[in-house]
Amino acid sequence: MASKNPSFFFLLLSLTLALWSLIFPASSSSSYYYYSLKDVASDDEGDWALLQSSIGISAMHMQLLKNNMVVIFDRMDMGPSNLSLPNNACIQKPSQPPDCTAHSIVYDVASNTVRPLLVQTDTWCSSGSLIPNGTLVQTGGYHEGDRVVRTFTPCDDSSCDWTQLSVPLGERRWYASNQLLPDGRVIIVGGRRAYTYEFFPKTDTASLTFYMSFLKETCDGYGNENNLYPFLHLLPDGNLYVFANERSILFDYNRNRVLKEFPVIPGEFKRNYPSTGSSVLLPLRLNGDVLPEAEVMICGGAPYGAFNNSNYKRVFVPASNTCGRMKLTDPYPKWVMEVMPMPRVMSDMVLLPNGEVLIINGAMNGTAGWEDGTNPVFNPVLYKYYLLDPARRFVVLNPSKIPRMYHSTAILLPDGRVLVGGSNPHEKYNFTSYYPTDLSLEAYSPYYLKPRVSAMRPSILSVETSDGTVLYKQVFAVTFQLNQYNPGSQILVSLVTPSFTTHSYSMNQRLMFLEVIEVQQLSTYDYKVTARGPPTATVAPPGYYMLFVVHAGIPSQAVWVKVV
Ligand SMILES: *[C@@H]1O[C@H](CO)[C@@H](O)[C@H](O)[C@H]1NC(C)=O
Ligand SMILES: *[C@@H]1O[C@H](CO)[C@@H](O)[C@H](O)[C@H]1NC(C)=O
Ligand SMILES: *[C@@H]1O[C@H](CO)[C@@H](O)[C@H](O)[C@H]1NC(C)=O
Ligand SMILES: *[C@@H]1O[C@H](CO)[C@@H](O)[C@H](O)[C@H]1NC(C)=O
Ligand SMILES: *[C@@H]1O[C@H](CO)[C@@H](O)[C@H](O)[C@H]1NC(C)=O
């Protein structure tokens, strides 16, 4: 009788798996269970904190750097911001009044302070990527800035600022996407009316751009493109997954060849700007030299014509409430669709250090674009991708009070919080309209930061490598302190990239669970976990990563490592 009851079946399965993880705490070949379900009350809905009521600019683009500073910028063509440039500096553009305000800042996470930076040309709707040495390379923007490459190299004092490089991009890049490649180059794909891709660094053949018909084919027309800011994910075999509109391909960028076209995502929804959804590569579980499976997840979006409806008719159609998951490494990949607790457009998806996915910000109606969205979604949603029961995967979290719609952002911080900022659905800074331009910064703290679970939070003592460098395939140890070991829970080591986030898409976002070889208890509260570095640069492109130790689903604070 009981066996006919599906919830009994899942209970039995969970118990079996929990028992199984108790016996084999250090390693697992299961794709979906890496800590037992009874672990910590993850039904807790988290907390919001206002960090700054105004940082002076609107956080349209954000990038965390290896020294725990966050570069934030908006645009040069929306009038004066609420933050003056130091030393009476001004930017003088032809036939315009001088602008003596900042449009970029660097935010110091530890001290919760802001320093204005000087951008020379317009960075509106641009893209970026960290390169392996930790420097931010930012590409494109608008108008006089649309072919400019800018760099920002982190410093621990106030000496660093933006540098404009002399070699321009081969094409205008406005709403393009970037991905760091295994050889340390950055690929820059698409943009408005740009059906090409190109690479950074620029050399003598700098202006070389490569035509990509997929970008033209997936464009629904000017203004309604639905394929801008294409979603890029570097796959473990080194090829690039490119998703635009509702289609996706496996792309060999070295030979400019489409290797495979995946099925169209089901449902009548477009997933890229202005029908802005979001996309993540779900955590990669590493095991020896075997290339890991890779699965993409895309959530939200809007139907065909939604932008015209809101922009010209003031009709705000409901956003998509669906997510699609597809295992890209399967021989015959298929989308598996799921339903979110509410519809969402312009939401960010943030990979938390324990692999869970936070869906945050956005609106329930309309699209991206000026005045084109309405009905903000205040509640983030947690997605537990590893649960077998789809009905339990989504958890609705505590709401923020601030609408975060078009031009808002969210990124993971090394302490496990999520930094949330921006929202400017207007052409200019506008502090009096219905959804005013927002200059504040907030932090969302997920359930795992609650004081009542702090005894179960690992605290990293040392990463035993030279200079914090992790070589490919290198076996290395991490020692950590833990006051209360939860029997049966696995110890995991995750590596998370700092992503470049804008327009609901986090470029380069990537999380890997390293192969854990052994966990040893050194003394009452001290432990050592031995793990293996990623197998190849195609799995983990070189550069700086946040390393977390996760116990019972609760992450430590991160230590920065450099993977080379
Ligand atoms: C920005 O400055 C304007 C003009 O001084 C002021 O009205 C507004 O309140 C400020 N906004 C914020 C969010 O600080
Ligand atoms: C990293 O490389 C860039 C581009 O070559 C260079 O401008 C920058 O100074 C380098 N950063 C560091 C920290 O060496
Ligand atoms: C949107 O409106 C423009 C201007 O009226 C028109 O040219 C275009 O075809 C429309 N696109 C869609 C998808 O409805
Ligand atoms: C948003 O969409 C819902 C349907 O999901 C609809 O009932 C509602 O009227 C729309 N809201 C606005 C402000 O258009
Ligand atoms: C701000 O928005 C309001 C209403 O949305 C509009 O009437 C006003 O003109 C806007 N102000 C500026 C400076 O754009």
Side-chain angles (χ1 to χ4, degrees):
M1 188 187 81
S3 65
K4 290 196 182 116
N5 178 335
S7 62
F8 178 80
F9 171 76
F10 280 114
L11 181 69
L12 195 68
L13 191 69
S14 342
L15 286 175
T16 315
L17 286 159
L19 191 68
W20 178 82
S21 74
L22 191 113
I23 302 168
F24 299 102
S27 74
S28 159
S29 57
S30 154
S31 308
Y32 294 107
Y33 277 87
Y34 53 86
Y35 46 85
S36 62
L37 294 175
K38 65 184 167 52
D39 286 344
V40 289
S42 52
D43 52 355
D44 187 289
E45 293 165 4
D47 299 298
W48 285 90
L50 183 66
L51 300 174
Q52 294 273 348
S53 57
S54 173
I55 53 169
I57 66 166
S58 194
M60 190 185 296
H61 312 77
M62 294 210 277
Q63 171 73 61
L64 172 69
L65 304 172
K66 66 181 168 115
N67 59 356
N68 299 344
M69 304 267 185
V70 182
V71 173
I72 303 177
F73 54 95
D74 55 18
R75 302 164 34 198
M76 298 284 290
D77 58 346
M78 58 196 273
S81 74
N82 278 37
L83 182 67
S84 297
L85 284 167
N87 311 319
N88 303 317
C90 297
I91 295 286
Q92 181 65 65
K93 288 209 244 171
S95 63
Q96 276 179 35
D99 183 352
C100 306
T101 65
H103 294 280
S104 176
I105 61 158
V106 60
Y107 172 72
D108 181 343
V109 175
S111 65
N112 188 25
T113 54
V114 156
R115 177 168 72 86
L117 301 175
L118 181 62
V119 227
Q120 310 277 348
T121 50
D122 199 358
T123 49
W124 179 27
C125 298
S126 60
S127 52
S129 177
L130 289 190
I131 54 174
N133 72 5
T135 287
L136 168 60
V137 171
Q138 182 279 348
T139 45
Y142 183 62
H143 198 236
E144 82 288 353
D146 62 11
R147 287 182 61 192
V148 176
V149 182
R150 308 163 187 86
T151 60
F152 185 90
T153 296
C155 62
D156 291 322
D157 51 22
S158 54
S159 63
C160 44
D161 212 323
W162 287 102
T163 303
Q164 281 199 183
L165 302 190
S166 53
V167 183
L169 294 166
E171 184 147 13
R172 304 160 61 194
R173 300 291 169 189
W174 188 33
Y175 299 90
S177 296
N178 294 12
Q179 166 74 53
L180 179 65
L181 298 175
D183 59 8
R185 286 181 303 166
V186 176
I187 188 169
I188 304 133
V189 179
R192 189 160 248 167
R193 285 171 293 198
Y195 309 116
T196 62
Y197 64 96
E198 62 184 290
F199 300 96
F200 175 89
K202 294 278 142 200
T203 55
D204 291 345
T205 50
S207 51
L208 267 191
T209 63
F210 303 89
Y211 182 67
M212 193 172 174
S213 60
F214 177 74
L215 296 170
K216 181 117 200 227
E217 293 160 24
T218 51
C219 179
D220 284 345
Y222 184 70
N224 283 268
E225 289 92 344
N226 293 330
N227 74 338
L228 298 184
Y229 279 120
F231 303 140
L232 309 179
H233 299 291
L234 177 70
L235 296 194
D237 68 359
N239 290 309
L240 193 65
Y241 176 73
V242 186
F243 181 103
N245 196 321
E246 52 184 359
R247 288 172 54 191
S248 56
I249 54 173
L250 182 66
F251 189 64
D252 177 346
Y253 44 82
N254 285 319
R255 290 183 292 166
N256 192 0
R257 209 174 279 172
V258 176
L259 302 176
K260 178 188 252 184
E261 171 135 13
F262 294 96
V264 169
I265 193 168
E268 299 299 308
F269 293 103
K270 311 293 186 160
R271 309 287 178 168
N272 297 82
Y273 180 94
S275 295
T276 304
S278 192
S279 173
V280 287
L281 195 61
L282 291 173
L284 300 171
R285 289 184 56 86
L286 309 188
N287 191 3
D289 286 340
V290 186
L291 292 181
E293 289 184 341
E295 184 173 3
V296 70
M297 177 170 176
I298 292 174
C299 293
Y304 180 78
F307 175 81
N308 269 15
N309 266 304
S310 55
N311 205 53
Y312 302 116
K313 300 184 203 145
R314 313 314 292 157
V315 172
F316 300 92
V317 302
S320 166
N321 64 352
T322 62
C323 296
R325 276 171 68 165
M326 182 163 59
K327 234 180 231 167
L328 304 172
T329 43
D330 272 0
Y332 302 101
K334 276 201 304 279
W335 288 103
V336 177
M337 303 306 289
E338 289 186 64
V339 176
M340 292 187 282
M342 70 284 276
R344 297 185 95 110
V345 62
M346 297 179 278
S347 293
D348 286 275
M349 289 167 82
V350 182
L351 290 168
L352 299 178
N354 62 7
E356 293 174 340
V357 182
L358 184 70
I359 306 175
I360 193 166
N361 299 345
M364 287 195 246
N365 297 69
T367 62
W370 291 328
E371 324 295 339
D372 292 324
T374 190
N375 213 354
V377 203
F378 293 101
N379 295 82
V381 164
L382 191 68
Y383 181 75
K384 305 179 184 195
Y385 75 97
Y386 48 85
L387 292 186
L388 290 184
D389 177 4
R392 296 181 52 207
R393 287 185 195 141
F394 288 104
V395 180
V396 179
L397 305 171
N398 274 333
S400 157
K401 294 187 182 67
I402 303 175
R404 301 281 181 192
M405 302 202 294
Y406 188 42
H407 290 149
S408 65
T409 44
I411 59 165
L412 177 68
L413 293 177
D415 57 19
R417 291 178 302 163
V418 174
L419 185 65
V420 179
S423 195
N424 179 32
H426 313 292
E427 185 173 0
K428 303 283 176 190
Y429 296 98
N430 190 330
F431 304 109
T432 55
S433 63
Y434 196 55
Y435 299 119
T437 304
D438 189 278
L439 308 183
S440 70
L441 267 191
E442 287 177 287
Y444 173 74
S445 292
Y447 66 92
Y448 53 64
L449 291 170
K450 285 280 186 194
R452 71 184 165 78
V453 296
S454 60
M456 298 212 283
R457 182 173 308 125
S459 161
I460 296 178
L461 298 170
S462 66
V463 177
E464 299 185 344
T465 62
S466 72
D467 291 340
T469 295
V470 174
L471 307 176
Y472 292 107
K473 301 182 207 283
Q474 182 190 359
V475 173
F476 68 103
V478 180
T479 58
F480 60 96
Q481 219 164 44
L482 183 60
N483 290 338
Q484 189 190 323
Y485 177 67
N486 187 42
S489 292
Q490 287 188 40
I491 301 291
L492 300 166
V493 179
S494 60
L495 289 186
V496 189
T497 50
S499 54
F500 180 94
T501 300
T502 188
H503 288 76
S504 310
Y505 168 51
S506 285
M507 305 175 196
N508 289 316
Q509 184 168 219
R510 198 174 192 82
L511 185 150
M512 280 157 281
F513 287 119
L514 297 183
E515 179 189 358
V516 168
I517 295 166
E518 184 176 43
V519 182
Q520 286 171 274
Q521 186 165 12
L522 302 176
S523 62
T524 314
Y525 301 119
D526 290 357
Y527 296 79
K528 176 161 144 174
V529 53
T530 306
R532 194 189 310 273
T536 60
T538 56
V539 170
Y544 287 90
Y545 288 78
M546 292 176 267
L547 181 148
F548 296 89
V549 173
V550 183
H551 161 248
I554 303 182
S556 66
Q557 297 206 357
V559 166
W560 287 95
V561 295
K562 188 175 186 192
V563 174
V564 290

